[in-house]
Amino acid sequence: MKKLLTFLLFLSLTFSNAQDKGYWVCFNVNVDPQGQEAFVKALDGVFESEIGSQFPFTVTLNEIMFASRENKMTHQLCFLAPNAEVMDAWGSGPPPNAEGALVQMLFEQYVDFEDSILGSPLIFDPSVALNMDYFTVWQLAVQDPATVASAFVQLDKATKKIRTGPLGLHEAIAGMRGGVTHYFVARAPKMSEFLNSREKIVNSKAFMNYITKTRPVSDIIGNFSGKIIKRYNMP
């Protein structure tokens, strides 16, 4: 009970500056190389149109650069909702215009779906995180969310001065791969800055403390890295 109360307090503090709790959906997909350029242009046509500008989600298209065997995908298409009410609009499909029809056609022709995942940020500032190009995601199986969340907050605070991008912690809600409950995300403006920051972090006392606290109650299920190549309807 004490751990549960601590976790709930942590969540209330995390979202004390936010009016609503956000949610996201990510499609993990494989895009045929022959159709990638046309696919990106079609997304531009949809989300840069007048109808697309009224779309209630922030959207990113991510190119996957490195992935474990569990993550067979070339791209991610992610949609971020600012609150639960916006999620009621989910599932309506592409807009009913020429650009939407083209996207639908290209999806059917060039895109294979691997996953459709619903999740929610626990520690995440989209105005900062989504302006970082490079990211690495660790998929976690967590047995004690309160312990991991507390350790994450301590690591985040202790390493702010030795990295150039934010850390994020997200909860998996539905559609996730077997055993995955959470996602640990590290971001940076570019890969070189991520790698340089990583060297400092993994050799720090703060990281050793994080590992000591979380290893008994969490496991890494998979890992992938990539970069954001398109952004639409940014907050």
Side-chain angles (χ1 to χ4, degrees), residues 141 143-144 147-152 207-219:
Q143 295 83 48
D144 186 344
T147 295
V148 171
S150 175
F152 179 92
F207 183 73
M208 292 299 104
N209 290 337
Y210 173 81
I211 294 298
T212 300
K213 293 176 180 178
T214 61
R215 181 174 288 166
V217 295
S218 67
D219 298 296

Side-chain angles (χ1 to χ4, degrees), residues 178-195:
V180 175
T181 62
H182 293 78
Y183 304 92
F184 184 121
V185 185
R187 298 179 184 268
K190 51 188 177 181
M191 187 192 299
S192 61
E193 294 191 28
F194 164 78
L195 295 173

Side-chain angles (χ1 to χ4, degrees), residues 191-210:
M191 187 192 299
S192 61
E193 294 191 28
F194 164 78
L195 295 173
N196 289 332
S197 296
R198 175 188 175 277
E199 290 302 315
K200 297 174 184 177
I201 292 172
V202 298
N203 289 298
S204 68
K205 181 179 179 180
F207 183 73
M208 292 299 104
N209 290 337
Y210 173 81

